[in-house]
Structures are given as C-alpha cells and as structure tokens.
Amino acid sequence: MQWSVIFKREMMEYVRSIKWIWVPIVFFIFGIMDQITMYYLPKIIDATGGMPEGAEVNIPSPPPAEALFMSINEMNTLGILIIGLLSMSLIAGELKSGVYELVLSKPVKYANYVTAKWAALSTLVLASFFIGLLAGWYYTNILFGELAIDKFLVAFLVYGLYLLFFITIAIFVNTWFKRPGMVLFLSILLIIFVNIITSILGHFLTWSPGHISSYVSTYLFTGNITTEMWGTIGTTIVLIIGLLYAAVEVLKRKEL
Amino acid sequence: MFEINWALLAPLFIVEFILLAVALIDLIRIDETNGPKWVWAVICIFISILGPVLYFIFGRRP
C-alpha cells in the first residue's frame, strides 16, 4: 500500500514537471536521428559541394541489423546522459531540500521509498526507450530493409536491462551525496568504469553488464542468443538487486 | 538540389514542434525560472531540440 502511494506521488511529479512529454520525445528523436542522417548522407555530401573531381566514394547502405543498432548506440551515449540528468536529484534533491525528512517523518520504510522511486524512474525510461527503439525499428524497415519484430523485442528487453542497471547505479549514488552535480558525475563515471573494466578484462568477465550492447549487436546479426548473453542477463539482474539493497542500507545509516 | 521525402521527415518535424510548443507554453505559465525568462525563450526558439531539453532540465525550478 505504502509503496504504491510513493510510486503514484512520483508519477504525479513526472506529470507535473512534464517529464512524461519531453523524455519520450527526446528518446524518439534519438531513435530515428541516425537512420535519417545515414539515409541522406550521400545527398548531404552532394549538396554541400560534393566529392572532389574524380574521387569515387561509395557509401554502402548498412544492413538492417546495423541500422537498428545505430539507435541503440545513440541510447548508449546521449540516452545515458539524459537518464543521468533525470536521476541526479531523485533522492539527492529531496535530501537537500528537506522533503526527504518530511517523507520519512511518517513511518515509511526505507526499502519502500527507494524501490518505489526506482520503479517510477524505470517506468518512465523504459517506456521512452520502447518508443524510441520502435521508431528506430520502423525507420529501419522503411529505409534499409526488413528486420523481424522479434529482433526488435529481444533488443528492447536486453538493452532495457542495461538501462535499468544504469538507473540502479544512479539511485545508489543518490544515497551518498546531496549535490546533484556530484551524483551525475559519479554515476556516469561508474558506468564508464564498468565499460572500461569490461573492455580490458573482457576475456575473463564474459558475463559483465558492459558486454550487453555488443552482445545485442551480435544477436541482431546472427539471431541466436548465446550462453554468454544469458550469463550477462543473470549477472546484471543480480547486480541490480544488490545495488538496490545497498542503496537502502546506506540510506538507513545516513545521518540527517 | 535533391528531392526531399517529406513523409519521411514529417514525424521528426512534428515532434520537434511539439517539444518547442510545450516548452514555450510551460515557460509562459510558470512563475519563476532559473535565470531570466526571456533568455530561456530565446534558447528554446533558436536551438532546436536541445534548447527545450536544456530548459526542462535546468530552467524549471523544482
């Protein structure tokens, strides 16, 4: 009961701050931007003066799998940045402004507070990501050739898990600091750190969440889900639960 | 010049326009912003997509 009250309050807050309008729109634009640019690239080069005389450059039209992956690539950079900006003052802002004390002066369980906020942000982000990737998939079908819908669905589910992982990191960092800028910086630093570790020790850490985007890319081309991919999905879920638990524990021990 | 397929680009323009309209309506209705209102209006109108997004993230006061 209590959980759903906090969740609904958070949803109302997203409606009031118009996040429910602009976040889906921004993800929609991220989803289709690259496909459109790629499609018009030869014409853009022509219009801006063209190639020098005699230079013959053929820009091959990318296969559909690669075209859909461009949307995911866009989410990997700009999408992560937007999620970081959305989550930077989620709990930190309330710690700072004193709303947090107000909320917890009532008998609210820390676990309810953290998980409800996490679920609210996840709903917003996953819905927006779904819209963006769906648009990207639609444009891929129109411009670059057919791609089965199950590929889109699996890509959404698996990459969505990576976005959830990042949201969880951001929530975890939220419980440490009161300054939103610091939270944004640290959560992005942590996800970069995960990716760097994965690229250095990738041979050992085949189940690291940092592999998700490359596994999704491989899946889009081949169409089989490898055991490494299942392993990665498992680790990511475990890490999400662990980080949420840690966030609750940190918040409990926090002096106000 | 080359032919532009408007049916292809229409969704992008529509969505961009909605973003701008929502930002401007909100800017008119809101009591106070971080920094002067007219600056935000200029940013929203002249920087496409990024302008309204910057306003939503940094301009609105919680």
Side-chain angles (χ1 to χ4, degrees), chain A residues 2 98-110 113 256:
Chain A
Q2 193 180 52
V99 176
Y100 172 73
E101 280 142 80
L102 209 69
V103 171
L104 290 189
S105 66
K106 300 180 185 100
V108 171
K109 276 194 188 141
Y110 292 93
Y113 178 76
L256 290 174

Side-chain angles (χ1 to χ4, degrees), chain A residues 16-18 21-22 25-26 28-29 32-33 36 39-40 43-44 46-47 82 85-86 88 139 142-143, chain B residues 1-12 15-16 18-19 22 26 49 53 55-58 60:
Chain A
R16 218 176 299 133
S17 57
I18 0 181
I21 298 178
W22 75 260
I25 288 184
V26 167
F28 175 84
I29 293 173
I32 64 174
M33 205 165 51
I36 290 183
Y39 182 70
Y40 278 119
K43 291 174 179 175
I44 292 171
D46 266 355
I82 292 285
L85 285 165
L86 280 175
M88 66 181 178
Y139 269 71
I142 290 182
L143 300 178
Chain B
M1 284 308 290
F2 55 85
E3 278 289 305
I4 292 175
N5 187 350
W6 290 108
L8 203 67
L9 293 175
L12 193 62
V15 146
E16 218 183 304
I18 295 173
L19 203 62
V22 170
D26 185 64
I49 302 175
V53 171
Y55 165 68
F56 286 131
I57 295 173
F58 298 108
R60 300 184 95 250

